[in-house]
Amino acid sequence: KDTPLEQIATTLSNYYGVKITLNKEDAAQIAMNRITIEFNNQPLSAVLDELSLTTSYEIKPTSKDNYEISIK
């Protein structure tokens, strides 16, 4: 609850075995954005879609098992 997005990205990275990073240019603004969200045994694609809708940030794959969060 009320968790910084940077921490959520780290938690999801560890849980799903992928790398989710913040866009370098947007990192300062994104990192401390706090949200409350809960995921229950959902596939990674559904989690990333929901997170993108909740935050209005773009989450896109950069390579296999690597994703980047940026400002739309």
Side-chain angles (χ1 to χ4, degrees):
K1 294 185 177 194
D2 198 32
T3 307
L5 187 53
E6 184 173 40
Q7 183 178 341
I8 291 171
T10 299
T11 300
L12 291 175
S13 292
N14 293 335
Y15 183 82
Y16 287 100
V18 298
K19 185 174 181 181
I20 302 172
T21 58
L22 308 181
N23 175 282
K24 289 180 184 181
E25 294 174 6
D26 303 332
Q29 183 176 346
I30 294 172
M32 296 314 296
N33 184 356
R34 302 176 81 81
I35 62 170
T36 298
I37 195 164
E38 185 175 324
F39 303 108
N40 293 308
N41 300 318
Q42 294 173 266
L44 178 60
S45 60
V47 169
L48 296 179
D49 286 345
E50 188 172 338
L51 190 58
S52 180
L53 290 171
T54 301
T55 63
S56 75
Y57 294 134
E58 181 176 24
I59 304 172
K60 60 183 177 184
T62 56
S63 63
K64 186 180 187 303
D65 295 331
N66 290 283
Y67 300 85
E68 181 180 76
I69 301 172
S70 61
I71 296 173
K72 289 184 182 176

